[in-house]
Amino acid sequence: MINVAIDGPAGAGKSTIAKAAAKALGYIYVDTGALYRTVALSAQKLGVLADLSDENIQKVIDSSVVELKYIDGAQAVFLNGEDVSSLIRTPEISMGASAVSAKPSIRAFLLGLQQDIAAKNNVIMDGRDIATVVLPNADVKIFLFASPECRAQRRYKELIEKGESVMYEDVLADVNQRDYQDSHREIAPLKPSKDSIMLDTSELSLEESIDAVIQTIKEHI
């Protein structure tokens, strides 16, 4: 099986780019961030997202069945049998995902699912620690990044187009906070692996970014 790991900070376009590259190459796309968002949603439903004590984390794990399914080639994430793909993209769940992903027991809970998918399929998997922890022996490792301002502008535009009332300054603050949380956590902090290929998309369009990733993969397999 061919495994491609794509890591990078929030808002770098990993999911969109990885999904398009996987489709072009005929691979399975695995959005690990969606898994952590789903756990955060479960915590929210249980009323414990603001208090992630060890006891509450265990409660979330014990009451959560998280599954990835592929419907007409597109990934959908399920929580206890319910398709929650559209419920996990709010700013609150985004910050919650960063919080739950810092918990070792949550990471262990999801690790097996991620590795099992990669063992059985040609995959492009994106997240924060795919190359360093989840798939350390991946055939291709890419660290995708862009400036905080560039990522905030993209996110701001996306939210405005969805009809949400947000301010760019608040979106930028969220991006910087998420970066700090992800890079300073004790467990699997965000950082490129020693053998990751660094790819800056700040000055690239979405199509150019997708092409760059596909070309990088083809050159290294």
Side-chain angles (χ1 to χ4, degrees):
M1 294 297 119
I2 296 173
N3 291 174
V4 178
I6 299 182
D7 293 307
K14 297 186 305 297
S15 297
T16 303
I17 293 167
K19 188 184 303 182
K23 183 177 182 179
L25 295 167
Y27 293 3
I28 291 289
Y29 163 63
V30 184
D31 174 7
T32 62
L35 300 176
Y36 288 101
R37 285 172 179 268
T38 302
V39 173
L41 179 65
S42 182
Q44 183 190 59
K45 286 177 176 288
L46 291 169
V48 300
L49 188 55
D51 178 19
L52 295 174
S53 64
D54 290 344
E55 181 182 354
N56 284 340
I57 284 291
Q58 193 58 50
K59 188 186 300 182
V60 172
I61 290 173
D62 292 341
S63 62
S64 303
V65 176
V66 180
E67 300 172 281
L68 282 182
K69 297 182 181 180
Y70 294 88
I71 303 170
D72 295 328
Q75 175 187 280
V77 62
F78 285 73
L79 173 63
N80 299 331
E82 177 191 1
D83 185 348
V84 296
S85 304
S86 62
L87 303 179
I88 59 173
R89 299 298 172 183
T90 66
E92 180 184 4
I93 294 301
S94 180
M95 295 305 296
S98 182
V100 300
S101 67
K103 304 297 181 180
S105 54
I106 294 292
R107 304 198 74 82
F109 171 57
L110 294 175
L111 181 63
L113 172 61
Q114 297 166 26
Q115 292 181 332
D116 185 59
I117 294 171
K120 297 175 180 176
N121 302 277
N122 292 333
V123 302
I124 295 182
M125 187 177 296
D126 79 89
R128 303 288 188 281
D129 64 343
I130 308 305
T132 53
V133 176
V134 182
L135 300 178
N137 297 316
D139 301 276
V140 185
K141 301 177 182 179
I142 298 171
F143 193 85
L144 200 65
F145 66 101
S147 70
E149 293 77 14
C150 178
R151 288 183 282 128
Q153 186 61 46
R154 291 172 182 169
R155 180 65 175 153
Y156 172 73
K157 182 181 178 183
E158 180 183 310
L159 292 171
I160 290 296
E161 288 175 351
K162 287 183 178 179
E164 297 190 29
S165 178
V166 292
M167 294 181 64
Y168 167 77
E169 291 77 13
D170 293 336
V171 177
L172 178 59
D174 281 349
V175 167
N176 285 324
Q177 182 181 354
R178 183 78 189 267
D179 283 355
Y180 184 85
Q181 287 181 349
D182 289 347
S183 60
H184 285 77
R185 67 190 183 203
E186 290 185 18
I187 305 298
L190 170 68
K191 63 178 180 180
S193 67
K194 292 180 180 178
D195 51 350
S196 286
I197 299 156
M198 305 298 289
L199 186 56
D200 185 353
T201 68
S202 298
E203 302 300 324
L204 301 181
S205 68
L206 177 58
E207 288 304 321
E208 289 171 337
S209 299
I210 293 168
D211 288 344
V213 166
I214 291 172
Q215 191 59 37
T216 299
I217 293 169
K218 286 181 175 179
E219 288 174 356
H220 291 84
I221 58 173

PDB file of all heavy atoms in Angstrom, residues 99-138:
ATOM      1  N   ALA A  99      -8.347  21.029  21.604  1.00  0.00           N
ATOM      2  CA  ALA A  99      -8.278  20.673  23.030  1.00  0.00           C
ATOM      3  C   ALA A  99      -8.287  19.161  23.236  1.00  0.00           C
ATOM      4  O   ALA A  99      -7.469  18.617  23.987  1.00  0.00           O
ATOM      5  CB  ALA A  99      -9.436  21.324  23.783  1.00  0.00           C
ATOM      6  N   VAL A 100      -9.195  18.464  22.565  1.00  0.00           N
ATOM      7  CA  VAL A 100      -9.270  17.015  22.778  1.00  0.00           C
ATOM      8  C   VAL A 100      -8.065  16.300  22.173  1.00  0.00           C
ATOM      9  O   VAL A 100      -7.633  15.258  22.674  1.00  0.00           O
ATOM     10  CB  VAL A 100     -10.578  16.401  22.218  1.00  0.00           C
ATOM     11  CG1 VAL A 100     -11.798  17.002  22.881  1.00  0.00           C
ATOM     12  CG2 VAL A 100     -10.666  16.535  20.706  1.00  0.00           C
ATOM     13  N   SER A 101      -7.487  16.875  21.107  1.00  0.00           N
ATOM     14  CA  SER A 101      -6.349  16.216  20.463  1.00  0.00           C
ATOM     15  C   SER A 101      -5.092  16.271  21.322  1.00  0.00           C
ATOM     16  O   SER A 101      -4.123  15.558  21.049  1.00  0.00           O
ATOM     17  CB  SER A 101      -6.074  16.838  19.093  1.00  0.00           C
ATOM     18  OG  SER A 101      -5.616  18.170  19.219  1.00  0.00           O
ATOM     19  N   ALA A 102      -5.120  17.093  22.362  1.00  0.00           N
ATOM     20  CA  ALA A 102      -3.975  17.175  23.274  1.00  0.00           C
ATOM     21  C   ALA A 102      -4.033  16.077  24.343  1.00  0.00           C
ATOM     22  O   ALA A 102      -3.095  15.924  25.127  1.00  0.00           O
ATOM     23  CB  ALA A 102      -3.938  18.543  23.947  1.00  0.00           C
ATOM     24  N   LYS A 103      -5.114  15.311  24.359  1.00  0.00           N
ATOM     25  CA  LYS A 103      -5.300  14.273  25.371  1.00  0.00           C
ATOM     26  C   LYS A 103      -4.766  12.922  24.862  1.00  0.00           C
ATOM     27  O   LYS A 103      -5.243  12.410  23.848  1.00  0.00           O
ATOM     28  CB  LYS A 103      -6.782  14.138  25.724  1.00  0.00           C
ATOM     29  CG  LYS A 103      -7.434  15.440  26.192  1.00  0.00           C
ATOM     30  CD  LYS A 103      -6.812  15.942  27.485  1.00  0.00           C
ATOM     31  CE  LYS A 103      -7.478  17.222  27.969  1.00  0.00           C
ATOM     32  NZ  LYS A 103      -6.872  17.716  29.220  1.00  0.00           N
ATOM     33  N   PRO A 104      -3.790  12.341  25.546  1.00  0.00           N
ATOM     34  CA  PRO A 104      -3.194  11.076  25.087  1.00  0.00           C
ATOM     35  C   PRO A 104      -4.214   9.968  24.879  1.00  0.00           C
ATOM     36  O   PRO A 104      -4.111   9.191  23.918  1.00  0.00           O
ATOM     37  CB  PRO A 104      -2.217  10.720  26.217  1.00  0.00           C
ATOM     38  CG  PRO A 104      -1.894  12.024  26.872  1.00  0.00           C
ATOM     39  CD  PRO A 104      -3.139  12.846  26.781  1.00  0.00           C
ATOM     40  N   SER A 105      -5.203   9.878  25.751  1.00  0.00           N
ATOM     41  CA  SER A 105      -6.184   8.795  25.640  1.00  0.00           C
ATOM     42  C   SER A 105      -7.044   8.942  24.392  1.00  0.00           C
ATOM     43  O   SER A 105      -7.439   7.945  23.775  1.00  0.00           O
ATOM     44  CB  SER A 105      -7.076   8.748  26.888  1.00  0.00           C
ATOM     45  OG  SER A 105      -7.676  10.005  27.135  1.00  0.00           O
ATOM     46  N   ILE A 106      -7.322  10.189  23.996  1.00  0.00           N
ATOM     47  CA  ILE A 106      -8.087  10.423  22.773  1.00  0.00           C
ATOM     48  C   ILE A 106      -7.254  10.041  21.555  1.00  0.00           C
ATOM     49  O   ILE A 106      -7.736   9.409  20.609  1.00  0.00           O
ATOM     50  CB  ILE A 106      -8.528  11.903  22.655  1.00  0.00           C
ATOM     51  CG1 ILE A 106      -9.518  12.263  23.758  1.00  0.00           C
ATOM     52  CG2 ILE A 106      -9.127  12.182  21.281  1.00  0.00           C
ATOM     53  CD1 ILE A 106     -10.859  11.595  23.646  1.00  0.00           C
ATOM     54  N   ARG A 107      -5.984  10.412  21.567  1.00  0.00           N
ATOM     55  CA  ARG A 107      -5.103  10.089  20.442  1.00  0.00           C
ATOM     56  C   ARG A 107      -4.968   8.569  20.304  1.00  0.00           C
ATOM     57  O   ARG A 107      -4.983   8.030  19.195  1.00  0.00           O
ATOM     58  CB  ARG A 107      -3.735  10.742  20.617  1.00  0.00           C
ATOM     59  CG  ARG A 107      -3.800  12.259  20.789  1.00  0.00           C
ATOM     60  CD  ARG A 107      -2.469  12.935  20.533  1.00  0.00           C
ATOM     61  NE  ARG A 107      -2.178  12.951  19.107  1.00  0.00           N
ATOM     62  CZ  ARG A 107      -2.668  13.841  18.251  1.00  0.00           C
ATOM     63  NH1 ARG A 107      -3.481  14.786  18.668  1.00  0.00           N
ATOM     64  NH2 ARG A 107      -2.350  13.788  16.978  1.00  0.00           N
ATOM     65  N   ALA A 108      -4.845   7.882  21.431  1.00  0.00           N
ATOM     66  CA  ALA A 108      -4.746   6.422  21.395  1.00  0.00           C
ATOM     67  C   ALA A 108      -6.047   5.813  20.889  1.00  0.00           C
ATOM     68  O   ALA A 108      -6.042   4.822  20.137  1.00  0.00           O
ATOM     69  CB  ALA A 108      -4.419   5.897  22.795  1.00  0.00           C
ATOM     70  N   PHE A 109      -7.166   6.401  21.284  1.00  0.00           N
ATOM     71  CA  PHE A 109      -8.494   5.945  20.883  1.00  0.00           C
ATOM     72  C   PHE A 109      -8.649   5.970  19.362  1.00  0.00           C
ATOM     73  O   PHE A 109      -9.222   5.052  18.760  1.00  0.00           O
ATOM     74  CB  PHE A 109      -9.539   6.850  21.556  1.00  0.00           C
ATOM     75  CG  PHE A 109     -10.958   6.664  21.110  1.00  0.00           C
ATOM     76  CD1 PHE A 109     -11.588   5.424  21.199  1.00  0.00           C
ATOM     77  CD2 PHE A 109     -11.695   7.736  20.625  1.00  0.00           C
ATOM     78  CE1 PHE A 109     -12.906   5.259  20.812  1.00  0.00           C
ATOM     79  CE2 PHE A 109     -13.014   7.583  20.233  1.00  0.00           C
ATOM     80  CZ  PHE A 109     -13.621   6.335  20.322  1.00  0.00           C
ATOM     81  N   LEU A 110      -8.096   7.000  18.703  1.00  0.00           N
ATOM     82  CA  LEU A 110      -8.266   7.162  17.255  1.00  0.00           C
ATOM     83  C   LEU A 110      -7.110   6.592  16.424  1.00  0.00           C
ATOM     84  O   LEU A 110      -7.255   6.391  15.225  1.00  0.00           O
ATOM     85  CB  LEU A 110      -8.437   8.645  16.920  1.00  0.00           C
ATOM     86  CG  LEU A 110      -9.717   9.310  17.459  1.00  0.00           C
ATOM     87  CD1 LEU A 110      -9.700  10.807  17.147  1.00  0.00           C
ATOM     88  CD2 LEU A 110     -10.968   8.657  16.875  1.00  0.00           C
ATOM     89  N   LEU A 111      -5.973   6.337  17.073  1.00  0.00           N
ATOM     90  CA  LEU A 111      -4.782   5.906  16.333  1.00  0.00           C
ATOM     91  C   LEU A 111      -5.006   4.602  15.567  1.00  0.00           C
ATOM     92  O   LEU A 111      -4.651   4.490  14.398  1.00  0.00           O
ATOM     93  CB  LEU A 111      -3.596   5.758  17.296  1.00  0.00           C
ATOM     94  CG  LEU A 111      -2.266   5.335  16.660  1.00  0.00           C
ATOM     95  CD1 LEU A 111      -1.786   6.389  15.671  1.00  0.00           C
ATOM     96  CD2 LEU A 111      -1.210   5.100  17.744  1.00  0.00           C
ATOM     97  N   GLY A 112      -5.600   3.636  16.232  1.00  0.00           N
ATOM     98  CA  GLY A 112      -5.820   2.337  15.610  1.00  0.00           C
ATOM     99  C   GLY A 112      -6.692   2.429  14.369  1.00  0.00           C
ATOM    100  O   GLY A 112      -6.420   1.772  13.361  1.00  0.00           O
ATOM    101  N   LEU A 113      -7.736   3.251  14.450  1.00  0.00           N
ATOM    102  CA  LEU A 113      -8.635   3.441  13.306  1.00  0.00           C
ATOM    103  C   LEU A 113      -7.869   4.001  12.112  1.00  0.00           C
ATOM    104  O   LEU A 113      -8.019   3.518  10.976  1.00  0.00           O
ATOM    105  CB  LEU A 113      -9.772   4.388  13.707  1.00  0.00           C
ATOM    106  CG  LEU A 113     -10.713   4.854  12.593  1.00  0.00           C
ATOM    107  CD1 LEU A 113     -11.428   3.666  11.957  1.00  0.00           C
ATOM    108  CD2 LEU A 113     -11.733   5.860  13.136  1.00  0.00           C
ATOM    109  N   GLN A 114      -7.034   5.006  12.357  1.00  0.00           N
ATOM    110  CA  GLN A 114      -6.272   5.641  11.284  1.00  0.00           C
ATOM    111  C   GLN A 114      -5.281   4.660  10.662  1.00  0.00           C
ATOM    112  O   GLN A 114      -5.166   4.559   9.423  1.00  0.00           O
ATOM    113  CB  GLN A 114      -5.531   6.861  11.832  1.00  0.00           C
ATOM    114  CG  GLN A 114      -6.452   7.953  12.355  1.00  0.00           C
ATOM    115  CD  GLN A 114      -5.702   8.988  13.186  1.00  0.00           C
ATOM    116  OE1 GLN A 114      -4.505   9.188  13.015  1.00  0.00           O
ATOM    117  NE2 GLN A 114      -6.400   9.644  14.092  1.00  0.00           N
ATOM    118  N   GLN A 115      -4.549   3.944  11.489  1.00  0.00           N
ATOM    119  CA  GLN A 115      -3.533   3.027  10.982  1.00  0.00           C
ATOM    120  C   GLN A 115      -4.139   1.836  10.255  1.00  0.00           C
ATOM    121  O   GLN A 115      -3.568   1.337   9.276  1.00  0.00           O
ATOM    122  CB  GLN A 115      -2.632   2.556  12.137  1.00  0.00           C
ATOM    123  CG  GLN A 115      -1.770   3.679  12.703  1.00  0.00           C
ATOM    124  CD  GLN A 115      -0.868   3.221  13.829  1.00  0.00           C
ATOM    125  OE1 GLN A 115      -1.190   2.273  14.553  1.00  0.00           O
ATOM    126  NE2 GLN A 115       0.258   3.894  14.001  1.00  0.00           N
ATOM    127  N   ASP A 116      -5.315   1.403  10.692  1.00  0.00           N
ATOM    128  CA  ASP A 116      -5.989   0.279  10.039  1.00  0.00           C
ATOM    129  C   ASP A 116      -6.402   0.639   8.620  1.00  0.00           C
ATOM    130  O   ASP A 116      -6.236  -0.151   7.686  1.00  0.00           O
ATOM    131  CB  ASP A 116      -7.220  -0.128  10.856  1.00  0.00           C
ATOM    132  CG  ASP A 116      -7.904  -1.366  10.295  1.00  0.00           C
ATOM    133  OD1 ASP A 116      -7.241  -2.418  10.212  1.00  0.00           O
ATOM    134  OD2 ASP A 116      -9.092  -1.276   9.928  1.00  0.00           O
ATOM    135  N   ILE A 117      -6.922   1.859   8.440  1.00  0.00           N
ATOM    136  CA  ILE A 117      -7.312   2.317   7.105  1.00  0.00           C
ATOM    137  C   ILE A 117      -6.092   2.372   6.186  1.00  0.00           C
ATOM    138  O   ILE A 117      -6.136   1.949   5.035  1.00  0.00           O
ATOM    139  CB  ILE A 117      -7.979   3.707   7.186  1.00  0.00           C
ATOM    140  CG1 ILE A 117      -9.304   3.625   7.949  1.00  0.00           C
ATOM    141  CG2 ILE A 117      -8.225   4.274   5.789  1.00  0.00           C
ATOM    142  CD1 ILE A 117      -9.913   4.981   8.267  1.00  0.00           C
ATOM    143  N   ALA A 118      -4.968   2.890   6.729  1.00  0.00           N
ATOM    144  CA  ALA A 118      -3.744   3.029   5.923  1.00  0.00           C
ATOM    145  C   ALA A 118      -3.138   1.687   5.556  1.00  0.00           C
ATOM    146  O   ALA A 118      -2.512   1.534   4.503  1.00  0.00           O
ATOM    147  CB  ALA A 118      -2.736   3.880   6.676  1.00  0.00           C
ATOM    148  N   ALA A 119      -3.314   0.695   6.424  1.00  0.00           N
ATOM    149  CA  ALA A 119      -2.738  -0.627   6.167  1.00  0.00           C
ATOM    150  C   ALA A 119      -3.465  -1.353   5.045  1.00  0.00           C
ATOM    151  O   ALA A 119      -2.889  -2.231   4.380  1.00  0.00           O
ATOM    152  CB  ALA A 119      -2.786  -1.474   7.441  1.00  0.00           C
ATOM    153  N   LYS A 120      -4.723  -0.971   4.795  1.00  0.00           N
ATOM    154  CA  LYS A 120      -5.553  -1.694   3.828  1.00  0.00           C
ATOM    155  C   LYS A 120      -5.782  -0.944   2.514  1.00  0.00           C
ATOM    156  O   LYS A 120      -6.383  -1.491   1.589  1.00  0.00           O
ATOM    157  CB  LYS A 120      -6.914  -2.001   4.467  1.00  0.00           C
ATOM    158  CG  LYS A 120      -6.835  -2.907   5.686  1.00  0.00           C
ATOM    159  CD  LYS A 120      -8.194  -3.063   6.346  1.00  0.00           C
ATOM    160  CE  LYS A 120      -8.123  -3.963   7.575  1.00  0.00           C
ATOM    161  NZ  LYS A 120      -9.415  -4.039   8.287  1.00  0.00           N
ATOM    162  N   ASN A 121      -5.323   0.319   2.453  1.00  0.00           N
ATOM    163  CA  ASN A 121      -5.613   1.133   1.271  1.00  0.00           C
ATOM    164  C   ASN A 121      -4.429   2.019   0.890  1.00  0.00           C
ATOM    165  O   ASN A 121      -3.594   2.328   1.734  1.00  0.00           O
ATOM    166  CB  ASN A 121      -6.811   2.064   1.541  1.00  0.00           C
ATOM    167  CG  ASN A 121      -8.078   1.330   1.935  1.00  0.00           C
ATOM    168  OD1 ASN A 121      -8.818   0.850   1.097  1.00  0.00           O
ATOM    169  ND2 ASN A 121      -8.338   1.252   3.239  1.00  0.00           N
ATOM    170  N   ASN A 122      -4.386   2.429  -0.390  1.00  0.00           N
ATOM    171  CA  ASN A 122      -3.517   3.537  -0.778  1.00  0.00           C
ATOM    172  C   ASN A 122      -4.194   4.799  -0.244  1.00  0.00           C
ATOM    173  O   ASN A 122      -5.340   5.079  -0.617  1.00  0.00           O
ATOM    174  CB  ASN A 122      -3.389   3.633  -2.298  1.00  0.00           C
ATOM    175  CG  ASN A 122      -2.638   2.456  -2.893  1.00  0.00           C
ATOM    176  OD1 ASN A 122      -1.809   1.844  -2.240  1.00  0.00           O
ATOM    177  ND2 ASN A 122      -2.930   2.137  -4.137  1.00  0.00           N
ATOM    178  N   VAL A 123      -3.521   5.531   0.621  1.00  0.00           N
ATOM    179  CA  VAL A 123      -4.183   6.669   1.263  1.00  0.00           C
ATOM    180  C   VAL A 123      -3.356   7.947   1.194  1.00  0.00           C
ATOM    181  O   VAL A 123      -2.118   7.908   1.118  1.00  0.00           O
ATOM    182  CB  VAL A 123      -4.511   6.392   2.757  1.00  0.00           C
ATOM    183  CG1 VAL A 123      -5.397   5.179   2.920  1.00  0.00           C
ATOM    184  CG2 VAL A 123      -3.241   6.266   3.598  1.00  0.00           C
ATOM    185  N   ILE A 124      -4.078   9.060   1.208  1.00  0.00           N
ATOM    186  CA  ILE A 124      -3.488  10.348   1.546  1.00  0.00           C
ATOM    187  C   ILE A 124      -4.172  10.757   2.831  1.00  0.00           C
ATOM    188  O   ILE A 124      -5.400  10.910   2.876  1.00  0.00           O
ATOM    189  CB  ILE A 124      -3.717  11.409   0.452  1.00  0.00           C
ATOM    190  CG1 ILE A 124      -2.986  11.010  -0.831  1.00  0.00           C
ATOM    191  CG2 ILE A 124      -3.222  12.775   0.939  1.00  0.00           C
ATOM    192  CD1 ILE A 124      -3.111  12.025  -1.960  1.00  0.00           C
ATOM    193  N   MET A 125      -3.399  10.884   3.879  1.00  0.00           N
ATOM    194  CA  MET A 125      -3.937  11.184   5.205  1.00  0.00           C
ATOM    195  C   MET A 125      -3.384  12.526   5.672  1.00  0.00           C
ATOM    196  O   MET A 125      -2.190  12.771   5.581  1.00  0.00           O
ATOM    197  CB  MET A 125      -3.551  10.068   6.186  1.00  0.00           C
ATOM    198  CG  MET A 125      -4.190  10.175   7.556  1.00  0.00           C
ATOM    199  SD  MET A 125      -3.759   8.784   8.663  1.00  0.00           S
ATOM    200  CE  MET A 125      -4.491   7.372   7.823  1.00  0.00           C
ATOM    201  N   ASP A 126      -4.263  13.405   6.130  1.00  0.00           N
ATOM    202  CA  ASP A 126      -3.763  14.697   6.586  1.00  0.00           C
ATOM    203  C   ASP A 126      -4.124  14.941   8.043  1.00  0.00           C
ATOM    204  O   ASP A 126      -5.104  14.397   8.552  1.00  0.00           O
ATOM    205  CB  ASP A 126      -4.280  15.834   5.696  1.00  0.00           C
ATOM    206  CG  ASP A 126      -5.699  16.248   6.005  1.00  0.00           C
ATOM    207  OD1 ASP A 126      -5.892  17.121   6.861  1.00  0.00           O
ATOM    208  OD2 ASP A 126      -6.632  15.710   5.379  1.00  0.00           O
ATOM    209  N   GLY A 127      -3.288  15.748   8.703  1.00  0.00           N
ATOM    210  CA  GLY A 127      -3.502  16.045  10.113  1.00  0.00           C
ATOM    211  C   GLY A 127      -2.368  16.888  10.660  1.00  0.00           C
ATOM    212  O   GLY A 127      -1.798  17.726   9.958  1.00  0.00           O
ATOM    213  N   ARG A 128      -2.051  16.675  11.929  1.00  0.00           N
ATOM    214  CA  ARG A 128      -0.981  17.429  12.589  1.00  0.00           C
ATOM    215  C   ARG A 128       0.264  16.575  12.842  1.00  0.00           C
ATOM    216  O   ARG A 128       1.360  17.080  12.933  1.00  0.00           O
ATOM    217  CB  ARG A 128      -1.467  17.984  13.937  1.00  0.00           C
ATOM    218  CG  ARG A 128      -2.689  18.871  13.889  1.00  0.00           C
ATOM    219  CD  ARG A 128      -2.375  20.224  13.288  1.00  0.00           C
ATOM    220  NE  ARG A 128      -3.517  21.108  13.437  1.00  0.00           N
ATOM    221  CZ  ARG A 128      -4.596  21.094  12.674  1.00  0.00           C
ATOM    222  NH1 ARG A 128      -4.682  20.219  11.689  1.00  0.00           N
ATOM    223  NH2 ARG A 128      -5.593  21.932  12.869  1.00  0.00           N
ATOM    224  N   ASP A 129       0.057  15.264  13.011  1.00  0.00           N
ATOM    225  CA  ASP A 129       1.182  14.395  13.401  1.00  0.00           C
ATOM    226  C   ASP A 129       1.195  13.101  12.595  1.00  0.00           C
ATOM    227  O   ASP A 129       1.608  12.062  13.087  1.00  0.00           O
ATOM    228  CB  ASP A 129       1.092  14.070  14.897  1.00  0.00           C
ATOM    229  CG  ASP A 129      -0.158  13.262  15.243  1.00  0.00           C
ATOM    230  OD1 ASP A 129      -1.096  13.236  14.415  1.00  0.00           O
ATOM    231  OD2 ASP A 129      -0.196  12.660  16.333  1.00  0.00           O
ATOM    232  N   ILE A 130       0.761  13.183  11.350  1.00  0.00           N
ATOM    233  CA  ILE A 130       0.678  11.958  10.548  1.00  0.00           C
ATOM    234  C   ILE A 130       2.068  11.408  10.259  1.00  0.00           C
ATOM    235  O   ILE A 130       2.333  10.218  10.447  1.00  0.00           O
ATOM    236  CB  ILE A 130      -0.082  12.214   9.223  1.00  0.00           C
ATOM    237  CG1 ILE A 130      -1.422  12.887   9.493  1.00  0.00           C
ATOM    238  CG2 ILE A 130      -0.286  10.885   8.490  1.00  0.00           C
ATOM    239  CD1 ILE A 130      -2.315  12.163  10.461  1.00  0.00           C
ATOM    240  N   ALA A 131       2.973  12.277   9.819  1.00  0.00           N
ATOM    241  CA  ALA A 131       4.323  11.821   9.467  1.00  0.00           C
ATOM    242  C   ALA A 131       5.154  11.463  10.695  1.00  0.00           C
ATOM    243  O   ALA A 131       6.050  10.618  10.618  1.00  0.00           O
ATOM    244  CB  ALA A 131       5.042  12.900   8.651  1.00  0.00           C
ATOM    245  N   THR A 132       4.870  12.105  11.831  1.00  0.00           N
ATOM    246  CA  THR A 132       5.691  11.889  13.029  1.00  0.00           C
ATOM    247  C   THR A 132       5.183  10.759  13.916  1.00  0.00           C
ATOM    248  O   THR A 132       5.962  10.093  14.587  1.00  0.00           O
ATOM    249  CB  THR A 132       5.776  13.180  13.871  1.00  0.00           C
ATOM    250  OG1 THR A 132       4.444  13.650  14.136  1.00  0.00           O
ATOM    251  CG2 THR A 132       6.550  14.261  13.123  1.00  0.00           C
ATOM    252  N   VAL A 133       3.849  10.527  13.944  1.00  0.00           N
ATOM    253  CA  VAL A 133       3.283   9.557  14.886  1.00  0.00           C
ATOM    254  C   VAL A 133       2.416   8.500  14.211  1.00  0.00           C
ATOM    255  O   VAL A 133       2.616   7.302  14.406  1.00  0.00           O
ATOM    256  CB  VAL A 133       2.445  10.276  15.974  1.00  0.00           C
ATOM    257  CG1 VAL A 133       1.785   9.257  16.904  1.00  0.00           C
ATOM    258  CG2 VAL A 133       3.311  11.237  16.769  1.00  0.00           C
ATOM    259  N   VAL A 134       1.447   8.938  13.419  1.00  0.00           N
ATOM    260  CA  VAL A 134       0.452   8.001  12.882  1.00  0.00           C
ATOM    261  C   VAL A 134       1.036   7.101  11.806  1.00  0.00           C
ATOM    262  O   VAL A 134       0.887   5.880  11.838  1.00  0.00           O
ATOM    263  CB  VAL A 134      -0.782   8.757  12.341  1.00  0.00           C
ATOM    264  CG1 VAL A 134      -1.828   7.771  11.822  1.00  0.00           C
ATOM    265  CG2 VAL A 134      -1.389   9.640  13.432  1.00  0.00           C
ATOM    266  N   LEU A 135       1.724   7.715  10.814  1.00  0.00           N
ATOM    267  CA  LEU A 135       2.323   6.949   9.716  1.00  0.00           C
ATOM    268  C   LEU A 135       3.804   7.317   9.572  1.00  0.00           C
ATOM    269  O   LEU A 135       4.226   7.905   8.570  1.00  0.00           O
ATOM    270  CB  LEU A 135       1.590   7.245   8.395  1.00  0.00           C
ATOM    271  CG  LEU A 135       0.103   6.909   8.333  1.00  0.00           C
ATOM    272  CD1 LEU A 135      -0.477   7.313   6.980  1.00  0.00           C
ATOM    273  CD2 LEU A 135      -0.145   5.421   8.590  1.00  0.00           C
ATOM    274  N   PRO A 136       4.622   6.969  10.565  1.00  0.00           N
ATOM    275  CA  PRO A 136       6.040   7.357  10.511  1.00  0.00           C
ATOM    276  C   PRO A 136       6.794   6.726   9.351  1.00  0.00           C
ATOM    277  O   PRO A 136       7.862   7.207   8.973  1.00  0.00           O
ATOM    278  CB  PRO A 136       6.586   6.870  11.862  1.00  0.00           C
ATOM    279  CG  PRO A 136       5.648   5.781  12.278  1.00  0.00           C
ATOM    280  CD  PRO A 136       4.305   6.201  11.779  1.00  0.00           C
ATOM    281  N   ASN A 137       6.251   5.663   8.757  1.00  0.00           N
ATOM    282  CA  ASN A 137       6.910   5.000   7.628  1.00  0.00           C
ATOM    283  C   ASN A 137       6.212   5.312   6.305  1.00  0.00           C
ATOM    284  O   ASN A 137       6.348   4.561   5.333  1.00  0.00           O
ATOM    285  CB  ASN A 137       6.934   3.479   7.851  1.00  0.00           C
ATOM    286  CG  ASN A 137       7.757   3.096   9.069  1.00  0.00           C
ATOM    287  OD1 ASN A 137       8.851   3.621   9.279  1.00  0.00           O
ATOM    288  ND2 ASN A 137       7.234   2.205   9.882  1.00  0.00           N
ATOM    289  N   ALA A 138       5.475   6.418   6.265  1.00  0.00           N
ATOM    290  CA  ALA A 138       4.770   6.805   5.045  1.00  0.00           C
ATOM    291  C   ALA A 138       5.753   6.941   3.879  1.00  0.00           C
ATOM    292  O   ALA A 138       6.907   7.342   4.065  1.00  0.00           O
ATOM    293  CB  ALA A 138       4.029   8.117   5.255  1.00  0.00           C
TER     294      ALA A 138
END
